[in-house]
Amino acid sequence: MKRIGVGLLGFGTVGGGVYNALQSQEDVILKRTETLFEVRSILVKEKEKERAVKGVQSLITTDFDRVLEAGVEVIVEAIGGTEPARMYVERALEAGCHVVTANKELMAKHGVQLERLARDRKVQILYEASVGGGIPVLGTMGHFLKANRVHRISGILNGTTNYILTRMSREGVSFAEVLAEAQQKGYAEADPAADVDGFDAVYKLAVLCRLAFETEVPVGQILREGIRDITPEELELARKLGYAVKLLATGEQYGEKGPVSLGVGPTLLPLSHPLAGVDGVYNAIHLEGDVVGDVTLVGRGAGEKPTASAVVEDLCNLYRLPSPRLPLSGEPLLLPAGEAGGSRFIFMKLRDREVPEPEQLCRSLEGIGLEVVDAVSAHGGVAFILRRWDPSHTSIVVTEPGLELSRITSRPIQGVNLSQERQPEMEGVV
Amino acid sequence: MKRIGVGLLGFGTVGGGVYNALQSQEDVILKRTETLFEVRSILVKEKEKERAVKGVQSLITTDFDRVLEAGVEVIVEAIGGTEPARMYVERALEAGCHVVTANKELMAKHGVQLERLARDRKVQILYEASVGGGIPVLGTMGHFLKANRVHRISGILNGTTNYILTRMSREGVSFAEVLAEAQQKGYAEADPAADVDGFDAVYKLAVLCRLAFETEVPVGQILREGIRDITPEELELARKLGYAVKLLATGEQYGEKGPVSLGVGPTLLPLSHPLAGVDGVYNAIHLEGDVVGDVTLVGRGAGEKPTASAVVEDLCNLYRLPSPRLPLSGEPLLLPAGEAGGSRFIFMKLRDREVPEPEQLCRSLEGIGLEVVDAVSAHGGVAFILRRWDPSHTSIVVTEPGLELSRITSRPIQGVNLSQERQPEMEGVV
Ligand SMILES: NC(=O)c1ccc[n+]([C@@H]2O[C@H](COP(=O)([O-])OP(=O)(O)OC[C@H]3O[C@@H](n4cnc5c(N)ncnc54)[C@H](OP(=O)(O)O)[C@@H]3O)[C@@H](O)[C@H]2O)c1
Ligand SMILES: NC(=O)c1ccc[n+]([C@@H]2O[C@H](COP(=O)([O-])OP(=O)(O)OC[C@H]3O[C@@H](n4cnc5c(N)ncnc54)[C@H](OP(=O)(O)O)[C@@H]3O)[C@@H](O)[C@H]2O)c1
């Protein structure tokens, strides 16, 4: 039996969860890995705060040096944000400790530098919990898609927004209403920007795409759109047309070492798409590899236990799996996501009392050269799908049919090729 | 760079696919693992058969000894069935070769013995492709659920039957009709028994549950029911009640080293369940662990490329990942699957022209002490859901309401607790 000293940085949802999981799983970890992980020191911000976990008071400190001196081989970082987390992780690696972290912002912004440092010091840094909570997506890419070139990733990477969209869609209530209720219940933060404006998903997408495309990913340049402007009417019309609206993170690479496009924003998925039915707090990642085809991983993207599970699995793997090499090829050419060419869902809310018949609208748009795949209307709104979209179409759509608009949204559509009308999941030999 | 000699046993869909994938992925494998896999010999049954892959004639043999003498370190077994595959794999391991196989029947029936032999000879035997084609489910369980106790597995493990059920449900056509068409197109075998009678799924379930529950699994005792008796009317009524019918493989363990129940059969899933929307040729596995919660993996369960992908990923991992230990605890106590206690879907086709109103039927069943959750009727059939099922109810249901039945089916329901009416995916903190 090997005994390994662990230092915890942060003792909130994740840090506390890791402590609990190491207790509850001690025997199964011991049986399967012959290793005993002992938490020897816990760094927090407020020493005097009351802790839900009992019997840890003697381990708690506010002095990082005390953690390093406590005989630890691994540091688990669960503070969050960039500073001081970045500095502590750097010091831990420099001191020859392995690091396991759940911090997506840190790994999105400083991951390249921290991985280089870890390699130089011959230690590992693992961060499965930072993307998709309990879903082992980084491990899957690193170990089971080695012989595949992953050329496209799409994911529902934020549970809060997926929960909000699911409830809006099922109950027809407004964004503001669901958000307020979620905040009250503690499902959403008091400041919801990180979730609803897409920052959280952007960090996770950056981490995923760096591993998948083996290229540096400039976080600040990832296209980002949140869900604040989505209305239940829009969701209903999209569903009538056969689509679910998701806050989707997408990354695509065009050829090896080729340009990539990265974006997070509300996106339509045909209801038969593997991600369209992923509802509530679930997260999911759809990976497309050149031999395997598509693989989708679904699970709980956050929460104490799933996140702690991922951290503890990383701890077990530190001593068993090789660290995936990271042969980065510099910053790629970034293409704008959702560029011209793809199909597009347009939703228009009208000032007029009278909503035009969908057929009539189709005819008038087709008269001016646009190809409409389908259209539907209800509740003073109208929605339609254009087969091929070009940003210049916005002005045509807004002015030509002579409608009085109170608002217009345009969303990309993923996962279906509208120029071939086949159902994608029926393809392929069994 | 390391050069590794590979011997292929079988050069059909999978063997040929592996050969092609090793060619097309040579550079990416080399870049990421610094290893070159060279196919040095190929065993087939008919030497003279024309091969779709060109330039391999000089490698082809019908003599297994020739393969072992060709300077190979790894044998890929893609013949199928038990003999002679079992004998060849045994001889390969005894000769000190690693083995990668796609053969579920072999691993279900002789896996324990072959893994013991491999351990004794200090070589590995990997078989990711044998369950779920390109879905890395064995790897996920072996490496990313080490700190979790997996206590329940449910899976759609057979693509042919899932394709048939999907088409029956969407188009309202009969089993016989879809099967005939699938056979004509080569999606289903001329002898469909392995698929439609559930044998294929039973083998895969046995392999999964041996790994998950760390116990020997007696294949012959797994409850097995196929899909031949399913009608489109039944599927339609189930859907009206909010359920999808899937050929589901389920394994559950009650407590560590506790009894297990294992079964393959048509099962109802609430439409919001992660597996309910897995349609067409896709396979999916839903794993429940005690810390991580549930993780679902979806992908293509068969076909040349996904299966070859899994074999080639196994090849890469032979030299990188530790072989998962297999601490088996003897044969478990097998509980009958679908025993009393769970909820049950009952479908009755009536001889009478007049189908009773669902409400009336509910009243009459409740009058005799059964609790009916929901009921629906159409096309001379009626379907309802009993909250708690006991096999003794069959006779009550058949005789008491005084209906003239032409047939009755009863299916278990998974993934929903009908005594609590909450929607499962809305649970949990974000
Ligand atoms: N919550 C989830 O479900 C989840 C899921 C995946 C990933 N993550 C990531 O995990 C990380 C932690 O999240 P969390 O939800 O556990 O956060 P949290 O509940 O707010 O806990 C943060 C912990 O860090 C400590 N801390 C804060 N600032 C500190 C400082 N300057 N020095 C020392 N300790 C400090 C706090 O100390 P006090 O206790 O004294 O305040 C607290 O114990 C974040 O990167 C988050 O993105 C979270
Ligand atoms: N097909 C799939 O999508 C898939 C997916 C997952 C797993 N699998 C598993 O993979 C295995 C192979 O399936 P497959 O679809 O590739 O089968 P296949 O297309 O029928 O090919 C079988 C190959 O084995 C050779 N063979 C048969 N009997 C032999 C013998 N006695 N000695 C030497 N060679 C013999 C055949 O030789 P000839 O070419 O000379 O006839 C043929 O090349 C099976 O265990 C199957 O369950 C298949």
Side-chain angles (χ1 to χ4, degrees):
Chain A
M1 188 188 78
K2 220 158 112 182
R3 274 172 195 276
I4 289 173
V6 176
L8 289 185
L9 312 185
F11 204 57
T13 307
V14 178
V18 169
Y19 186 91
N20 289 333
L22 285 176
Q23 307 294 314
S24 70
Q25 308 309 104
E26 188 180 289
D27 53 340
V28 56
I29 295 172
L30 199 54
K31 186 176 85 177
R32 297 189 187 160
T33 70
E34 285 159 15
T35 308
L36 184 69
F37 292 97
E38 284 179 348
V39 176
R40 301 209 175 132
S41 185
I42 301 173
L43 184 76
V44 297
K45 194 171 184 178
E46 288 177 52
K47 199 167 188 326
E48 307 311 325
K49 197 189 263 184
E50 215 181 316
R51 304 290 163 185
V53 182
K54 294 296 151 218
V56 293
Q57 206 50 53
S58 65
L59 301 176
I60 284 186
T61 177
T62 53
D63 178 359
F64 179 68
D65 290 320
R66 294 274 303 273
V67 180
L68 284 188
E69 291 155 8
V72 300
E73 274 179 49
V74 191
I75 292 290
V76 172
E77 187 274 309
I79 294 175
T82 48
E83 294 301 342
R86 192 203 54 78
M87 179 193 55
Y88 292 151
V89 167
E90 202 175 286
R91 290 192 50 204
L93 295 170
E94 275 172 351
C97 290
H98 299 296
V99 169
V100 175
T101 176
N103 191 331
K104 51 230 140 191
E105 186 176 355
L106 177 69
M107 293 312 294
K109 293 183 177 166
H110 305 287
V112 175
Q113 173 234 329
L114 293 172
E115 295 209 78
R116 289 219 176 96
L117 177 58
R119 201 181 40 206
D120 291 348
R121 302 287 154 155
K122 300 200 169 32
V123 291
Q124 294 190 51
I125 176 164
L126 295 181
Y127 42 97
E128 184 64 80
S130 71
V131 181
I135 307 171
V137 58
L138 304 187
T140 299
M141 284 206 301
H143 296 289
F144 307 137
L145 293 170
K146 276 222 121 42
N148 277 270
R149 294 175 191 88
V150 173
H151 49 83
R152 192 191 283 144
I153 296 181
S154 17
I156 295 172
L157 301 179
N158 181 271
T160 306
T161 46
N162 203 44
Y163 172 83
I164 292 174
L165 290 177
T166 302
R167 290 211 38 204
M168 285 173 68
S169 167
R170 291 205 190 150
E171 298 162 32
V173 283
S174 73
F175 170 77
E177 213 169 314
V178 184
L179 175 63
E181 202 193 301
Q183 285 173 319
Q184 207 194 335
K185 287 189 181 160
Y187 291 11
E189 303 286 333
D191 175 3
D195 294 317
V196 304
D197 294 328
F199 291 99
D200 177 79
V202 158
Y203 297 144
K204 292 168 177 170
L205 181 67
V207 172
L208 279 174
C209 290
R210 188 168 70 225
L211 289 177
F213 305 152
E214 298 180 340
T215 178
E216 293 191 26
V217 173
V219 184
Q221 287 173 48
I222 296 178
L223 226 94
R224 181 182 49 75
E225 202 187 322
I227 64 162
R228 291 189 201 256
D229 72 342
I230 297 178
T231 62
E233 291 83 13
E234 180 186 344
L235 297 181
E236 187 186 330
L237 293 185
R239 181 159 289 265
K240 279 194 183 167
L241 290 167
Y243 295 90
V245 181
K246 294 292 182 186
L247 181 66
L248 204 72
T250 46
E252 189 163 359
Q253 182 166 42
Y254 306 90
E256 250 192 299
K257 299 198 183 181
V260 303
S261 77
L262 302 169
V264 168
T267 302
L268 272 74
L269 294 169
L271 291 171
S272 60
H273 189 280
L275 297 183
V278 174
D279 282 339
V281 300
Y282 279 90
N283 281 19
I285 299 106
H286 184 75
L287 303 167
E288 293 176 50
D290 59 346
V291 197
V292 75
D294 60 321
V295 174
T296 308
L297 312 178
V298 188
R300 288 168 190 270
E304 179 190 316
K305 293 183 91 188
T307 311
S309 173
V311 170
V312 173
E313 294 290 348
D314 269 355
L315 283 173
C316 294
N317 284 331
L318 277 176
Y319 295 90
R320 301 175 53 85
L321 301 189
S323 187
R325 292 191 326 133
L326 197 67
L328 292 183
S329 64
E331 290 210 5
L333 178 62
L334 262 191
L335 296 183
E339 359 96 88
S343 298
R344 203 85 179 170
F345 167 83
I346 311 284
F347 169 66
M348 304 194 297
K349 185 95 183 150
L350 305 182
R351 270 193 228 290
D352 313 60
R353 281 279 172 93
E354 274 189 31
V355 177
E357 282 298 310
E359 295 72 30
Q360 182 198 331
L361 182 72
C362 287
R363 272 196 304 277
S364 99
L365 290 170
E366 290 184 338
I368 51 180
L370 301 183
E371 200 174 342
V372 182
V373 178
D374 202 353
V376 71
S377 67
H379 313 304
V382 56
F384 51 91
I385 289 164
L386 293 180
R387 197 179 295 282
R388 266 173 302 279
W389 168 253
D390 185 290
S392 71
H393 292 163
T394 313
S395 70
I396 302 181
V397 163
V398 170
T399 55
E400 290 294 334
L403 299 170
E404 283 245 34
L405 303 188
S406 68
R407 81 198 211 78
I408 175 167
T409 32
S410 130
R411 317 269 186 213
I413 300 176
Q414 280 262 332
V416 68
N417 187 342
L418 291 174
S419 44
Q420 302 162 259
E421 294 280 67
R422 285 199 296 160
Q423 290 175 298
E425 81 285 11
M426 289 304 235
E427 280 170 14
V429 186
V430 187
Chain B
M1 187 188 81
K2 220 158 112 181
R3 274 172 195 275
I4 289 174
V6 175
L8 288 185
L9 311 186
F11 204 58
T13 307
V14 177
V18 169
Y19 186 91
N20 288 334
L22 285 176
Q23 308 293 314
S24 70
Q25 308 308 103
E26 188 180 289
D27 53 341
V28 58
I29 295 172
L30 201 53
K31 187 177 82 177
R32 297 189 187 160
T33 69
E34 286 160 13
T35 308
L36 183 70
F37 293 96
E38 284 179 347
V39 175
R40 300 209 175 131
S41 185
I42 301 173
L43 185 76
V44 297
K45 194 170 183 180
E46 286 178 52
K47 199 167 188 322
E48 307 311 324
K49 199 190 263 185
E50 211 176 322
R51 305 289 161 185
V53 183
K54 293 297 150 217
V56 293
Q57 207 49 54
S58 64
L59 302 176
I60 283 186
T61 176
T62 53
D63 178 359
F64 179 69
D65 290 319
R66 293 276 302 274
V67 180
L68 285 187
E69 290 157 8
V72 300
E73 274 179 50
V74 191
I75 293 288
V76 171
E77 187 274 307
I79 294 175
T82 47
E83 295 300 344
R86 192 202 55 77
M87 179 192 56
Y88 291 151
V89 167
E90 201 176 287
R91 289 192 51 204
L93 295 170
E94 275 173 351
C97 291
H98 299 297
V99 169
V100 174
T101 175
N103 190 333
K104 52 230 143 194
E105 185 175 356
L106 177 68
M107 292 313 292
K109 293 183 177 167
H110 305 286
V112 175
Q113 173 234 330
L114 293 173
E115 295 209 77
R116 289 218 175 98
L117 177 59
R119 202 180 41 205
D120 291 348
R121 302 286 154 154
K122 300 198 168 34
V123 290
Q124 294 191 51
I125 175 164
L126 295 181
Y127 42 98
E128 184 63 80
S130 71
V131 180
I135 307 171
V137 58
L138 304 187
T140 299
M141 285 207 299
H143 296 290
F144 307 137
L145 293 170
K146 275 223 120 43
N148 276 270
R149 293 174 192 90
V150 173
H151 50 82
R152 193 191 283 144
I153 296 180
S154 15
I156 295 171
L157 301 179
N158 181 271
T160 305
T161 46
N162 204 42
Y163 172 85
I164 292 174
L165 290 177
T166 302
R167 291 210 40 203
M168 286 173 67
S169 167
R170 290 206 189 148
E171 297 161 31
V173 283
S174 73
F175 169 78
E177 213 169 314
V178 184
L179 175 63
E181 201 193 301
Q183 285 172 319
Q184 206 194 336
K185 286 187 182 164
Y187 291 11
E189 302 286 333
D191 175 4
D195 295 316
V196 305
D197 294 328
F199 291 98
D200 176 80
V202 158
Y203 297 144
K204 293 169 177 170
L205 181 67
V207 172
L208 278 174
C209 289
R210 189 167 70 224
L211 290 176
F213 306 150
E214 298 180 340
T215 179
E216 294 192 24
V217 173
V219 185
Q221 287 173 47
I222 296 179
L223 226 94
R224 181 182 49 75
E225 202 187 321
I227 63 162
R228 290 190 201 256
D229 72 341
I230 298 179
T231 62
E233 291 84 12
E234 180 185 345
L235 298 181
E236 188 187 329
L237 292 185
R239 181 159 289 264
K240 280 195 182 166
L241 291 167
Y243 295 89
V245 181
K246 294 292 182 185
L247 182 66
L248 204 72
T250 47
E252 188 163 1
Q253 183 166 41
Y254 305 91
E256 249 192 298
K257 299 198 182 180
V260 303
S261 77
L262 302 168
V264 168
T267 302
L268 271 73
L269 295 168
L271 290 172
S272 61
H273 189 280
L275 297 182
V278 173
D279 282 339
V281 299
Y282 280 89
N283 281 19
I285 299 105
H286 184 75
L287 303 167
E288 293 177 49
D290 59 348
V291 196
V292 75
D294 60 320
V295 174
T296 309
L297 312 178
V298 189
R300 288 171 188 269
E304 178 189 319
K305 293 183 90 189
T307 311
S309 173
V311 169
V312 173
E313 294 289 349
D314 269 355
L315 284 174
C316 294
N317 284 332
L318 278 176
Y319 295 90
R320 302 175 52 85
L321 301 189
S323 186
R325 292 191 326 134
L326 197 67
L328 291 184
S329 64
E331 290 210 5
L333 178 62
L334 261 191
L335 296 182
E339 1 94 89
S343 297
R344 204 84 179 171
F345 167 83
I346 312 284
F347 168 67
M348 304 194 298
K349 185 93 183 150
L350 305 182
R351 268 192 230 292
D352 314 60
R353 282 279 172 91
E354 273 187 35
V355 177
E357 282 299 309
E359 296 72 30
Q360 181 197 332
L361 182 71
C362 285
R363 273 195 304 279
S364 97
L365 291 170
E366 290 182 340
I368 50 179
L370 300 184
E371 200 174 344
V372 181
V373 178
D374 202 354
V376 70
S377 68
H379 312 303
V382 56
F384 51 92
I385 289 166
L386 294 179
R387 197 179 295 281
R388 268 173 301 278
W389 168 252
D390 185 290
S392 72
H393 291 163
T394 313
S395 72
I396 303 180
V397 163
V398 170
T399 54
E400 290 295 332
L403 299 171
E404 283 246 33
L405 304 187
S406 68
R407 80 198 212 78
I408 175 168
T409 32
S410 130
R411 317 268 185 213
I413 301 176
Q414 280 262 332
V416 70
N417 186 340
L418 290 174
S419 43
Q420 303 161 261
E421 293 280 67
R422 287 198 295 161
Q423 289 175 298
E425 82 285 8
M426 289 305 232
E427 280 170 15
V429 186
V430 187

